[in-house]
Amino acid sequence: MPEEIAPGIYRIPVPLVGNPLKELNAYLLKGEDGALLIDTGFRQPACREALFSGLRELGVRRGEMEVLLTHLHSDHSGLAPEAADGRTIYVSEVDRPSLDDQDYRSRYWGIMDVRFREEGFPLHLMARMNETNPARSMAPPSGGHYEGLTDGQILEKGGCRIQCLLVPGHTPGQMCYWLPDRGILFTGDHVLFDITPNITAWPVMPDALGSYLESLKKIRAYDPALTLPGHRKTGDLKSRVDHLLCHHQQRLEEALGAVKDHPGRGAYDLAGHMTWKIRASSWEDFPVAQKWFAVGECMSHLDHLMALGQVRRETVGGKAAYYAI
Ligand SMILES: [Zn+2]
C-alpha cells in the first residue's frame, strides 16, 4: 500500500522476502512535469508485484516514469529497466558501469574473488556463495538506458528540484538526493535508522570505510525536515550519524584487538574473532551469506586501520596476514 508522506511524494513498501533488510522503500515523486521513481526492489516476483501494483494505485504504469537510483545494489536497482521501459534511469556516474557494463561487472567479481580467497574465505563456501549471491543472480538485465550523475548536479523531475550528493562508502557511487526547497533528504543506504549500513571492501575504493566516515560527516552538515532512507523507518539524521560514527570507532577498536590477539591471520579468521549480531552458536555455523558480509565488513575495517597506519598486511603464498604496527 503506497502512502503519501509529503505532498506529491509517496512511499511504496517493497518486501524483500527472506532478506534481513525486510523491505525496500521505493519513492514516487509526482509532479505536473511527470513522475520519477526512486529505487525499485529486486528483480523477483514478490518485488515486481508490490512495486507495480503500488505504482498502479498511484496512476503510473511502466514506461510512464523515469527512474532515479540511489546506488547500484540489486535490491534498489533490480526492476529499474522494467519500470523505466526505455526511458532514462539515472544513477551516479561512479556506480553506472556496474549496471550497464557487463565486462566491468565480471572484472569486479574477479577481483573480489581473488581478495576473498587471499583473506582465507574457504573455496567451497565461495562456490556456494557465488551461486546464491543476490547481487549476481538478481542484478538488472542489460539494456536499460542509463545516464550518469555527478556530485552537486541538479535534476528538475517529478515536480521537485533535486540536488545529487555523492557520498561514497556503502558503494563507491552511493548518492543522497536533497530537495533544498522542501527540506527533504533521500539517503538510500548511506544512513539507515534501525540497521547499520553494510560497508565492505571495493576494488575502486582502497579505504571504503574511510570514505564512508567522510561521507557521514558530509551529510551531517544538512538539516532536513524529513529524512527518507532506503529501508525501514526514518529518524533524526544528525543523532543517527553520530551513532554510526561511534559504532565504527568501536568496531575499529575491536578489529585492531583481533589483529593484536591473532597476528598473521587473514580477514576470514579475524572476522571469526569479532562479535556479530547473528544467531549462530559459532563462527563455523554462520550461514554462508552472513559470513560473506561479515568478512567483507572486517576487510573494510582492516583497510581503514592500514590507512591509519595501525595495521600492516603481508601476502605470503597467496594468503593475507595482518599485523598490528
Ligand atoms: Zn545497498
Side-chain angles (χ1 to χ4, degrees), residues 21 70-76 170-171 174 188-189 198 231:
L21 293 167
T70 56
H71 62 297
L72 66 90
H73 281 152
S74 52
D75 53 331
H76 296 255
H170 177 69
T171 65
Q174 167 81 57
D189 283 0
N198 176 258
H231 302 277

Side-chain angles (χ1 to χ4, degrees), residues 108-109 111-122 126 200-201 268 291-297 299 319:
Y108 162 81
W109 285 113
I111 295 169
M112 290 314 287
D113 281 351
V114 170
R115 174 86 195 259
F116 272 83
R117 226 178 299 148
E118 282 179 355
E119 300 292 348
F121 206 89
M126 271 180 64
T200 187
Y268 180 82
K291 259 188 183 170
W292 176 271
F293 289 118
V295 172
E297 192 180 318
M299 290 191 305
K319 287 278 172 268

